[in-house]
Amino acid sequence: MAQQEQWKSKIGFVLAAAGSAIGLGAIWKFPYVAGTGGGGAFLLLFLVFTLVLGMPLLLGEFMIGRMGQSNPVQTYGKLALNPKWNFIGKLGVFTSFLLLSFYSVVGGWIILYIVKLLSGGLAGLTQDQYGELFGDIISNPYPTIAAQLVFMLVTILVVAQGIQKGIELASKVMMPALLLLFLILVIRSLSLDGAMEGVKFLLVPDFSKLTSESILFALGQAFFTLSLGVSVMLTYASYLPKTQNLPQSAISIIILNIVIALLAGLAIFPGVFSFGMEPNAGPVLIFSVLPAVFAHMPFGMLFFLAFLLLFLFAAFTSAFSMIEIIVSAVTKNDASKRKKSTWIIGMLIFIVGVPSCLSYGVLADVHLFNKTIFDLMDYTVSNILMPLGALLIAIFVSRKIPREDLFAELKQGSNVRYTFFSICYFLLKYIVPIAIIVVFLDAAGLSDWIIALFK
Ligand code: PFF
């Protein structure tokens, strides 16, 4: 087999994995699903799911990724000594393909916003006008498709270069910049009139607002933001030397991810309440609130431009990881095939994404299962395929790999305590699968039926 690529530095891996995690999920999606799902109660659930289910899963993917030193598909068969287990990797590759097809649509929206801002079209509008502008921008077929294409082309160009030159270098500079800008933004938002209402909405849980569906969304969101269940983290860990401290890397990524989601919430909800908007406005939320927040500060548009660029960058580093695993699966780590495969895969993803792109415009009336094409794609990936992948990975790691092998792997490069390992192992073996199954059944409305059966 071809020589496995390797990360250049320890921090490079953490930044790249954090780059995969932090993206549209924490910045764009988290505020709006939290807004729709009940604010504080949703946040709390999201945190619990992240720590109790996300953390062991992330470690699980890291352990078997580095252990297998292979691609996302063959790692499973190689470790289980039976190729039939490769289906978990194949499912991940398929999920990643669908995911990038609509993720790139939102990436395109950010590009269009940047173009709009540079042409002076964003300054000095009223709150309502920002909302309308977003609607106009995303419903226009040609520019949105063109922007989605640009997003895919950049992704292809970077990933075709190979992981080291592309992903690692880019992540090193941009992640710290993103954090800094978010901090400025939050300070600004908190100083708006009525900001505290927004802070309360985000931080004070009101459990009466939770529904089975919002619990499923919180679960999906926890996996989505950590890029779990797709074998992305497994693939990134396969490029690691044995000296990397896996628990420390996982914890840093989780903390960074939570911090960014919290900052995004704190940047947005004060604005929502201060401007008298609805927190459950949906995907438009960040695009209509933030320009208004920025518009009222000195050099606002300059800051907004910086924000959009970093936001776009965060989306790119996630997109790189999605296409990377498909490329890695297809080329089986043969570097000579990388360029061509990346181009073919990237273009296919673009084509599959076009209907999602149009579903905010000319295809807006096309509904399947009561959802637009875009929403259906997102729902299928985030709330069905990713939790399903996570379930399979949890079962695979905890039941197919001997416990002592896992601990031995985790210990390399770290002096992790056995207790910590045991807790994660227990969570992975029992709690993660049970939680995912229960949330699935509950959201499918089956729980009442099952309870009735046992009465
Ligand atoms: N974690 C990314 C985000 O929050 O935007 C999305 C993502 C990337 C999900 C890669 C899954 C994945 F494999």
Side-chain angles (χ1 to χ4, degrees):
M1 185 187 286
Q3 165 75 37
Q4 186 78 344
E5 287 188 75
Q6 294 249 318
W7 298 107
K8 267 206 225 109
S9 59
K10 289 189 180 179
I11 186 75
F13 162 73
V14 176
L15 287 174
S20 167
I22 294 161
L24 299 178
I27 304 173
W28 162 75
K29 206 169 171 200
F30 172 76
Y32 94 73
V33 286
T36 329
F42 185 94
L43 172 66
L44 195 69
L45 264 185
F46 166 73
L47 290 179
V48 170
F49 284 151
T50 300
L51 294 176
V52 176
L53 314 180
M55 163 116 106
L57 264 166
L58 183 56
L59 269 180
E61 287 205 27
F62 279 175
M63 285 185 287
I64 58 169
R66 192 175 64 177
M67 205 184 252
Q69 295 282 311
S70 181
N71 61 68
V73 172
Q74 288 171 320
T75 296
Y76 294 94
K78 184 174 171 188
L79 293 178
L81 303 176
N82 183 346
K84 82 168 198 250
W85 287 96
N86 287 347
F87 83 93
I88 303 181
K90 288 183 190 153
L91 179 76
V93 169
F94 173 69
T95 306
S96 195
F97 187 98
L98 287 188
L99 171 56
L100 187 51
S101 78
F102 68 85
Y103 205 88
S104 53
V105 172
V106 184
W109 295 348
I110 308 175
I111 296 177
L112 290 179
Y113 252 62
I114 293 175
V115 173
K116 191 86 192 164
L117 189 149
L118 290 176
S119 62
L122 276 189
L125 303 185
T126 65
Q127 177 52 46
D128 291 341
Q129 285 169 326
Y130 281 119
E132 274 167 34
L133 180 75
F134 178 72
D136 289 346
I137 289 180
I138 66 171
S139 59
N140 199 347
Y142 295 114
T144 42
I145 292 180
Q148 181 198 359
L149 180 63
V150 171
F151 186 88
M152 281 311 301
L153 289 177
V154 175
T155 305
I156 293 169
L157 284 171
V158 173
V159 174
Q161 294 290 313
I163 56 157
Q164 290 192 351
K165 272 181 270 165
I167 302 175
E168 201 169 330
L169 180 76
S171 300
K172 256 187 200 163
V173 189
M174 307 294 260
M175 293 291 288
L178 181 68
L179 264 178
L180 187 73
L181 209 79
F182 249 126
L183 273 177
I184 299 176
L185 189 57
V186 170
I187 294 172
R188 168 65 204 151
S189 272
L190 290 178
S191 67
L192 289 169
D193 284 345
M196 274 307 133
E197 274 306 298
V199 176
K200 259 196 232 151
F201 175 79
L202 181 68
L203 299 183
V204 181
D206 171 1
F207 290 103
S208 65
K209 289 196 189 139
L210 280 184
T211 60
S212 303
E213 174 112 295
S214 59
I215 298 175
L216 177 63
F217 269 93
L219 180 81
Q221 182 63 18
F223 294 151
F224 190 91
T225 45
L226 285 175
S227 310
L228 291 173
V230 191
S231 306
V232 156
M233 291 303 188
L234 177 158
T235 309
Y236 272 14
S238 76
Y239 303 137
L240 275 178
K242 298 285 182 192
T243 46
Q244 182 91 22
N245 188 329
L246 294 182
Q248 203 182 57
S249 309
I251 291 170
S252 328
I253 290 164
I254 287 177
I255 293 177
L256 254 176
N257 201 40
I258 291 178
V259 167
I260 294 270
L262 273 176
L263 288 177
L266 285 175
I268 287 171
F269 288 114
V272 169
F273 284 84
S274 172
F275 302 135
M277 293 176 66
E278 287 299 323
N280 59 358
V284 57
L285 199 61
I286 186 165
F287 289 99
S288 62
V289 177
L290 286 191
V293 174
F294 279 112
H296 292 99
M297 63 194 265
F299 304 107
M301 283 301 128
L302 214 61
F303 275 115
F304 191 36
L305 179 62
F307 174 80
L308 285 174
L309 288 172
L310 292 171
F311 184 23
L312 179 64
F313 176 76
F316 272 129
T317 50
S318 300
F320 298 160
S321 72
M322 293 174 211
I323 198 170
E324 171 67 26
I325 69 158
I326 312 174
V327 172
S328 163
V330 170
T331 61
K332 307 210 171 28
N333 307 322
D334 178 349
S336 66
K337 296 196 193 133
R338 175 176 276 273
K339 263 209 170 76
K340 194 168 153 203
S341 320
T342 313
W343 275 99
I344 297 174
I345 294 162
M347 283 299 121
L348 283 176
I349 292 176
F350 164 69
I351 294 166
V352 171
V354 168
S356 297
C357 182
L358 294 178
S359 82
Y360 280 94
V362 287
L363 298 182
D365 293 330
V366 179
H367 283 78
L368 297 164
F369 302 103
N370 244 336
K371 292 184 167 28
T372 63
I373 302 173
F374 182 100
D375 286 344
L376 183 69
M377 285 287 218
D378 184 11
Y379 189 90
T380 310
V381 166
S382 314
N383 296 350
I384 300 175
L385 293 175
M386 291 185 71
L388 180 66
L391 173 68
L392 293 169
I393 292 175
I395 293 173
F396 181 87
V397 176
S398 61
R399 291 170 197 267
K400 289 310 291 179
I401 312 286
R403 187 187 162 113
E404 49 288 3
D405 291 3
L406 289 173
F407 185 54
E409 182 65 45
L410 200 62
K411 257 197 331 201
Q412 298 205 50
S414 81
N415 45 14
V416 63
R417 298 242 177 95
Y418 189 67
T419 336
F420 176 80
F421 168 76
S422 299
I423 295 172
C424 288
Y425 186 80
F426 175 80
L427 291 172
L428 206 56
K429 190 160 181 176
Y430 300 104
I431 308 300
V432 174
I434 293 173
I436 295 176
I437 292 172
V438 168
V439 176
F440 263 156
L441 292 182
D442 194 35
L446 290 179
S447 47
D448 298 340
W449 186 79
I450 293 172
I451 293 167
L453 208 66
F454 285 100
K455 266 193 182 153

